[in-house]
Amino acid sequence: MAFDLTPLFGIEALCSFSLLLVSGTMKHLPVLLVLGFALSLCNLTNKLKPSSNSGGSGKADSDIQAEQATPTAAQTAALAGGQTVKWDRQGMSWTVPPKWTETENESKMLTWRSPGGSEAANLIVSISPMDESFPADISIKAYYDGAKTRAKNGEVDEVKWLEIDGLKGVEFREINPEKADDFRRLQWLAYRKYNGQLQFVNVMLSSNGTGFTQHQDEMYGVLYSTKLVH
């Protein structure tokens, strides 16, 4: 049985939501970063349209062999003396370095960042409610396949199934940009059930090319510290 995902997940569920993030966050974050965040979702969404011979089959979550999110000693040290960030409305929390500050806290979006300009590190988390009948297993596999394709095209240098706090998702990291002031992103995508609702969870850590190297350990540490109800 094939699924027509367009009305469930296409423009309304992710692309339009992502573009709304631009207007909602551009006063706090660099415009190019937010646009890149929106376009990365819309680009991957195209992978969710199965071919006519796909049969709508996807790998079940129980069949996925995911790496456990285990920080290295350097990543743990980067968060020493840090603070706990709680997003109570979504039942999520993180540990971030002591000097990071909150820049946005809405019902479906949370952002924090380190001190600095374009080289600062950013934590951007978004939640997208999905229809109860939405085929999450097919969707997350499509995100994984899309990231693998980007890796083959030289756009991504790390792709893996990653389990964080008991929830399996897709983690990928973009390559170092050619220009040092262009942005580079580390993202983790997953689906969860929260308060009886199916949700798409997108956790992104980012900085520009110069800042990413500088903040890499703390960004991985923040990602791996994610706690969420599911």
Side-chain angles (χ1 to χ4, degrees):
M1 176 181 180
F3 289 97
D4 179 7
L5 301 178
T6 304
L8 293 176
F9 192 78
I11 301 299
E12 294 182 0
L14 272 184
C15 290
S16 291
F17 176 76
S18 301
L19 294 175
L20 285 174
L21 300 184
V22 175
S23 61
T25 59
M26 62 189 303
K27 61 180 179 294
H28 298 296
L29 298 171
V31 176
L32 289 178
L33 170 60
V34 181
L35 283 171
F37 173 66
L39 291 175
S40 69
L41 290 178
C42 294
N43 181 49
L44 284 175
T45 299
N46 292 331
K47 301 295 181 181
L48 297 176
K49 299 176 182 178
S51 63
S52 58
N53 61 357
S54 68
S57 61
K59 179 177 286 190
D61 182 77
S62 59
D63 296 331
I64 295 172
Q65 299 300 312
E67 179 180 319
Q68 298 290 321
T70 305
T72 65
Q75 291 162 1
T76 299
L79 302 184
Q83 54 187 314
T84 299
V85 173
K86 292 185 177 181
W87 196 14
D88 291 331
R89 284 183 283 189
Q90 292 295 344
M92 302 178 71
S93 67
W94 297 264
T95 299
V96 301
K99 294 184 179 180
W100 283 37
T101 56
E102 182 181 278
T103 55
E104 194 88 20
N105 189 332
E106 303 294 341
S107 62
K108 296 183 179 65
M109 185 168 183
L110 178 76
T111 63
W112 278 66
R113 75 192 312 264
S114 72
S118 60
E119 78 285 355
N122 301 280
L123 166 67
I124 305 174
V125 188
S126 69
I127 298 293
S128 298
M130 309 304 294
D131 187 87
E132 185 177 303
S133 62
F134 181 75
D137 288 344
I138 295 175
S139 174
I140 199 65
K141 180 61 165 57
Y143 275 112
Y144 178 81
D145 291 343
K148 292 291 283 186
T149 297
R150 293 186 67 198
K152 291 179 180 179
N153 293 338
E155 302 170 14
V156 170
D157 61 10
E158 180 176 281
V159 180
K160 58 188 174 184
W161 292 105
L162 183 68
E163 182 174 325
I164 298 180
D165 197 29
L167 184 63
K168 296 176 183 178
V170 178
E171 181 256 289
F172 58 92
R173 182 184 65 192
E174 294 177 340
I175 64 168
N176 203 39
E178 293 184 6
K179 297 181 180 179
D181 57 351
D182 284 345
F183 280 90
R184 186 181 185 187
R185 289 165 282 267
L186 167 68
Q187 285 182 261
W188 181 72
L189 312 174
Y191 286 94
R192 70 165 180 172
K193 279 288 187 71
Y194 180 67
N195 281 345
Q197 181 184 67
L198 178 63
Q199 295 180 340
F200 174 70
V201 179
N202 187 330
V203 181
M204 180 173 78
L205 284 303
S206 67
S207 185
N208 66 12
T210 300
F212 196 98
T213 301
Q214 176 185 345
H215 296 288
Q216 181 165 288
D217 283 336
E218 59 195 82
M219 289 193 292
Y220 271 96
V222 171
L223 175 62
Y224 291 171
S225 76
T226 303
K227 303 294 183 185
L228 70 170
V229 178
H230 60 91

